[in-house]
Amino acid sequence: MLSKNQKFKWSWLFYLAVLILAFIFPALNPGSYYIQVVSLAFIYAIAVYGLNLIEGYMGQLSLAQAGLFGFGAYAAALLTMKLQLSFWLAVPLASVLTAVVAFFIGLISFRTRGHYFVIFTLCIGVIINLVIQKWDAVTGGMNGLIGIPKPTPLGPISFDSLKAQYYLILVFLLLTVFVMYRLVNSLIGRTFVSIRNSEELAAALGINVMKNKILAFCVAAFFTGMAGSLYAAFIRFIGPDISSPTLTFEFLLYLLAGGQASIAGPIVGTLLMSGLTESLQFLRDYRLLLFGPLLILIVKFLPMGIVGLIHKLASRSPFRRSAAKSLNPSKTVKGEGL
Amino acid sequence: MILETKALGRDFGGLTALNDINFAIDDQEIVAIIGPNGAGKSTFFNVISGFYPPSRGTVSFRNQNMTGTPTHIFARLGIARTFQTTHLFYNGSVLDNLIVGYRQKTKMGLFDAILRTPRARREEADSREKAQEVLNFIGLAGISTEPVANISQESAKRLAIGLALISEPRLLLLDEPAAGINHNETKGLVELIRKIRSHGTTVCLIEHKVQMVMGLADRIMVLNYGSKIAEGSPTDIGSNQKVIEAYLGRAHHA
Amino acid sequence: MSLFIQQIVNGLTLGSIYCLVALGLTLIYGIMEVPNFAHGHLYMVGAYVTFFGMTLYGLNYWVSALVAGIIIAILGVITERVVFNPLRHAPSSNRFIAALGAMMFLEAAARLLWGADFRSIPPVYDKVLSFAGVRVTEQRVIVIVAAILLIIALNLFLKRTIIGSSIEAVAQNPDGSSLVGINVNVVGMLTFAIASFLAAVAAALAGPIFLVFPTMGELIIMKAFVIIVIGGMGSIPGAIVGGYILGLTESLGATYISMDYKDVIAFLVLVIILTIKPTGLFAKGV
Ligand SMILES: Nc1ncnc2c1ncn2[C@@H]1O[C@H](COP(=O)(O)OP(=O)(O)OP(=O)(O)O)[C@@H](O)[C@H]1O
Ligand SMILES: [Mg+2]
């Protein structure tokens, strides 16, 4: 009991420190380049939280994620450019639209299982990508859309500066983390994890497996679409690339590196991997050369990612000897929120 | 009568796993299903608990025809089951498992969870309370925080039963609850099953431990090659010629 | 009418390439339950090896194709050893993810080594044959005939040779096979070798008709997945039938429906099929 309390306090302090760091980061004058890099990583992290929900907690590897990200981005861009909607209306609307699209995708795709589901969602992602590429009249085809408006000022607060945009994105990220935290620590989150563990047992306990899968997928899509719409407003130029399967694979790498089925995993993985890419400048164009083998090494040696590793080390530390008795750490670590 | 099957059959490809089963389970009895390996016992469970749709015939539960009902609705209507290979949620503690088991009785939705509404808090408290109650009932209160991956085979068997019980089913189906546990533990389990019945739940179990079944069951059905070859009280079954032949005629391991 | 026949011939050409790639994918899936995402990228490397064999080393087209086949077979065996074999007992999603990793690596390596430019294998058999108003290049005829010969050879190998039938045995029952003395490791490597060889030869055959570039494996692997899902994952006849169906559908769809959306057609077909039958058209089992 005592060790549990201790763990709680320590991790609470740690998170507070991280939060403070996130808020003072721009004040440290890191240069606009780094602010931009971190802001973009935050946006991707929001999408990775979506993937974390559906793959990490629910155990359904959806490869349609970049497709949904692209959908959200184009939806927000078109809403602000063509309909002149305010950013504050366009972002929620685009997110909801993405969730609605996911609802229909889920209705069909969750009838399939295992590898069929993965391939099915990959195909959905490819279809979205191809349609964005080809539908010139709406999406601008290969040229994409340029001149997407900046986030609309909120009363006296304008988002013209990079720093202001950084804080805006940070707030969206914190909102995402908050929702995910509440969700996975509720009965709903427990239900998702139970389905990941055994669909059969969940069904025997009266849980509607299909309904829960669709719910998780829609929530995941909502945040993925939100990330896409933030991307559109932040970068202000979008092309079909942002919906390509390659981006899905990158999301997957971020998630696995950080650690799936944990609340810290997506942000840790995304910051780390994009940080790695940026610091190895010469590798920027060839990052997949590094990412590919990394992905293989992670699934082989670090299936629960960095956060999982930290958990494992922490449970071995002398302060928490009781937890170290666990015979099967890999089984017990999965699913525990950080 | 709580459950009734009429001319129930189930095929797998060319194989007839279950054929023409007419069987009824009465309220508050303990019935057992026995038969050699591959006789179709688990298949019978899978069909009457909604996991496999029948190929022929009907299942009715409390006079309601269950044809076409989704699997999870079977559970919600009051048919709970365990699996032959013990299924548990291996990533959580004993208590965590039971809490999820109570999910079908709770109603909270997405926004309740995100906003932590009074309903969400109340239901989480209810789930915990109920889980604790079941823990006491199945005798696992002492290991409630233990990760399920670490508990003994006997505790796992009891927990699986607890998971099925937490939603207060009317009919409890147990697939080989005593497989893999020793003599003394089996005795304890028999007590538990009696206790479950005395609380008003009907129990139907599949078991290879014939001795245990003879002492526990009010009635026994014997399956062989997918067909019912006998049905009756333990004494009737013990002296039934067909049953003796079925067991002697095929190699079987208790 | 001649336009229609023309498109049938084009569809068969395309279908032949799809068949050869999908056959390898389905073989590997049958043996190891690995959805080998890197397969299309082995196809891509095969195209480059053929290209450089001809342009850099002045090899004959057929010799280049053979060299590509052998090199890619070796590369396939290496991926089996390094990537998939160590994950044999891991959860299936891990193998999927590892396959994605291998794919990313191959694509990045190709980009690094050979740049992002489009290249084309110099046509050797570009004479145009025409009969009844239908005009076909020799190369397309070669593709169709070569694919048929390879499919026949593969079937003979699987049915008539001891080592070939052990592949089938493992595909049927991976756990039981080691009991009857089949070395699952050898079978795994052999399967990867054959599958990769087929992919490389397919690339060599397609090379003079289509273009060679680092991401050329991406679309074809996804289409190969569409094919084996349609045909039943692990099924050889399914891959053959599915390959030709997809080739013909695309070719006719491009002509009669929309050129722009011809690539979408394949994926739409899959979505429609899985919507109707979630376990694929020719699923085994229940
Ligand atoms: N999902 C399935 N697919 C195909 N065949 C099945 C399936 N489930 C059961 N069978 C077959 O149906 C027959 C009956 O199996 P079942 O599991 O019901 O037997 P059982 O009486 O429970 O045997 P045991 O005592 O070994 O548990 C067996 O031949 C089995 O192989
Ligand atoms: Mg059984």
Side-chain angles (χ1 to χ4, degrees), chain A residues 111 115 118 126 134 249 292, chain C residues 29 96 101 103-104 222 260 275:
Chain A
R111 284 157 44 91
H115 290 145
V118 184
V126 175
K134 307 286 180 187
F249 302 154
Chain C
Y29 189 85
F96 210 125
M103 182 192 90
M104 286 180 179
M222 289 184 206
D260 272 351
T275 305

Side-chain angles (χ1 to χ4, degrees), chain A residues 194-215:
Chain A
S194 77
I195 291 171
R196 182 190 72 200
N197 275 275
S198 168
E199 287 185 24
E200 263 191 334
L201 182 53
L205 295 174
I207 290 169
N208 187 341
V209 173
M210 182 76 174
K211 190 180 126 189
N212 276 282
K213 283 182 177 174
I214 291 179
L215 178 69

Side-chain angles (χ1 to χ4, degrees), chain A residues 1 4 178-180 182-183 185-212 215 219 223 323 325-328 331-336, chain B residues 46 51-52 71-73 75-76 79-81 83 87-92 95-97 99-101 103-104 106 108-111 113-116 120 123-124 127-128 146-150 163-164 166-167:
Chain A
M1 221 44 223
K4 207 170 181 181
F178 172 77
V179 169
M180 290 293 170
R182 278 281 173 89
L183 205 55
N185 286 299
S186 71
L187 286 179
I188 293 188
R190 286 173 183 269
T191 312
F192 290 172
V193 175
S194 77
I195 291 171
R196 182 190 72 200
N197 275 275
S198 168
E199 287 185 24
E200 263 191 334
L201 182 53
L205 295 174
I207 290 169
N208 187 341
V209 173
M210 182 76 174
K211 190 180 126 189
N212 276 282
L215 178 69
V219 175
F223 286 103
K325 271 195 301 194
S326 158
L327 288 175
N328 202 334
K331 263 183 186 162
T332 49
V333 165
K334 185 160 185 176
E336 282 177 0
Chain B
N46 281 327
F51 273 75
Y52 298 156
T71 312
H72 68 277
I73 300 294
R76 292 187 184 187
I79 304 180
R81 66 168 297 178
F83 294 85
H87 274 32
L88 295 169
F89 300 123
Y90 286 98
N91 62 315
L95 189 71
D96 289 335
N97 268 262
I99 290 173
V100 183
R103 176 68 175 125
Q104 58 154 298
T106 59
M108 63 177 283
L110 194 60
F111 295 100
I114 295 169
L115 304 173
R116 263 186 91 60
E123 289 189 344
E124 282 183 23
S127 304
R128 264 170 209 284
E146 199 69 24
V148 165
N150 298 354
L163 262 181
I166 194 166
S167 52

Side-chain angles (χ1 to χ4, degrees), chain C residues 80-112:
Chain C
E80 195 272 339
R81 285 288 100 185
V82 176
V83 181
F84 298 113
N85 195 52
L87 289 170
R88 233 181 11 237
H89 302 294
S92 73
S93 63
N94 287 12
R95 274 173 282 157
F96 210 125
I97 292 164
L100 289 178
M103 182 192 90
M104 286 180 179
F105 175 77
L106 286 174
E107 185 176 323
R111 233 185 254 273
L112 186 65

